[in-house]
């Protein structure tokens, strides 16, 4: 079945780096744009980053621009490289599949498959 | 980019209908038919319920419907059931340098 599984979360000190991974299975990964969405403890959802199906286009939320980097490989993995972490980056990070309503283009229609999430805690 | 505004809580009895509003601006909800809705049970990942304002993904109950008027989108749950008790979030594409997507503040639905 269609599945996403995140890994790489943990406890890290402010200013340090962390890389999250998201493994995909059960669908043709190479045709789907992918996203990261996060949720701080007791708070709402916040979109973080988007990568096009071929990796050619990337967008970031202003709150992480310049510090986070999204990339993908040919083995059905999506990554989120997080640098200069701040306490406000503490959250559950979800990997999500784009709805891909317009194959080959960014449709911005939403997110149809989500992983269970991985927790990142930034604390000294 | 400010979060879309949703009521903090909405409640209803089993079998009733409830509507959750999601108010944005002309830079997001008002300009694009790219509103989606997500259901989230405690400690679970969100689940897509509605996309492109009113389209239902395969497998989502027809009791869930979406609409939009101006800068406000709405999610209606008909025939409310106990399992509908959850948090609900709207989301819209945003024509902003700050973020490509903006989520709503979230609404806790309680089944009385």
């Amino acid at each position: 079945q269609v599945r996403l599984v995140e890994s790489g979360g943990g406890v890290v000190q402010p200013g340090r780096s962390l890389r999250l991974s998201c493994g995909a299975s059960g669908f043709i990964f190479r045709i789907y744009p992918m996203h990261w969405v996060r949720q701080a403890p007791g708070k709402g959802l916040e979109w973080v980053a988007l990568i096009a199906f071929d990796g050619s286009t990337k967008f970031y939320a202003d709150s992480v621009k310049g510090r986070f980097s999204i990339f993908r490989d040919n083995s059905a993995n999506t990554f989120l490289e997080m640098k200069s972490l701040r306490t406000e980056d503490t959250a559950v990070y979800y990997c999500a599949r784009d709805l891909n309503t317009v194959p080959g283009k960014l449709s911005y229609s939403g997110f149809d498959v989500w992983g269970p999430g991985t927790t990142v805690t930034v604390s000294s | 980019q400010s979060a879309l505004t949703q009521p903090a809580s909405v409640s209803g009895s089993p079998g009733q209908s409830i509507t959750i509003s999601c108010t944005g601006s002309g830079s997001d909800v008002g300009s694009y038919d790219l509103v989606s809705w997500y259901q989230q049970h405690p400690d679970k990942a969100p689940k897509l319920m509605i996309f492109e304002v009113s389209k239902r993904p395969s497998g989502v109950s027809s009791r869930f419907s979406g609409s939009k008027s101006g800068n406000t989108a709405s999610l209606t749950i008909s025939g409310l059931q106990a399992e509908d008790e959850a948090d609900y979030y709207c989301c819209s594409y945003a024509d902003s340098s700050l973020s490509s997507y903006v989520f709503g503040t979230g609404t806790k639905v309680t089944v009385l």
Side-chain angles (χ1 to χ4, degrees), chain A residues 7 18-22 35-38 48-50 60 64 68-71 78-83 93-94:
Chain A
S7 59
L18 201 63
R19 177 184 290 188
L20 305 183
S21 301
C22 169
H35 302 261
W36 288 94
V37 177
R38 69 183 180 182
V48 173
L50 154 67
Y60 300 92
V64 306
F68 289 14
S69 178
I70 187 172
F71 57 102
T78 307
F79 304 92
L80 188 66
E81 184 79 41
M82 304 185 294
K83 298 182 178 180
Y93 284 74
Y94 295 103

Side-chain angles (χ1 to χ4, degrees), chain A residues 35 37 39 43-47 50 59-63 65 94 98-99 101 107-112 114-116, chain B residues 34-36 38 40 43-48 50-52 89 91-93 97-105:
Chain A
H35 302 261
V37 177
Q39 187 169 34
K43 303 296 185 182
L45 300 168
E46 180 189 15
W47 174 81
L50 154 67
F59 292 114
Y60 300 92
D62 194 59
S63 58
K65 208 171 291 181
Y94 295 103
D98 192 272
L99 263 161
T101 55
S107 59
Y108 302 104
S109 295
F111 326 100
D112 67 342
W114 296 66
Chain B
L34 294 171
V35 176
S36 50
Y38 302 86
Q40 186 179 35
D43 298 319
K44 297 294 186 183
K47 174 187 176 183
L48 176 68
I50 295 286
F51 68 99
E52 293 177 359
Y89 294 91
C91 180
S92 175
Y93 171 70
S97 61
L98 298 180
S99 181
S100 296
Y101 297 84
V102 59
F103 277 96
T105 50

Side-chain angles (χ1 to χ4, degrees), chain B residues 52-112:
Chain B
E52 293 177 359
V53 176
S54 59
K55 298 177 181 178
R56 245 186 342 268
S58 173
V60 171
S61 171
S62 58
R63 299 185 297 105
F64 292 84
S65 62
S67 62
K68 191 186 87 166
S69 178
N71 294 339
T72 299
S74 298
L75 174 72
T76 298
I77 309 175
S78 305
L80 200 61
Q81 299 180 1
E83 60 261 35
D84 300 332
E85 185 163 296
D87 293 325
Y88 291 81
Y89 294 91
C90 60
C91 180
S92 175
Y93 171 70
D95 183 14
S96 167
S97 61
L98 298 180
S99 181
S100 296
Y101 297 84
V102 59
F103 277 96
T105 50
T107 298
K108 170 66 178 178
V109 168
T110 301
V111 181
L112 301 171

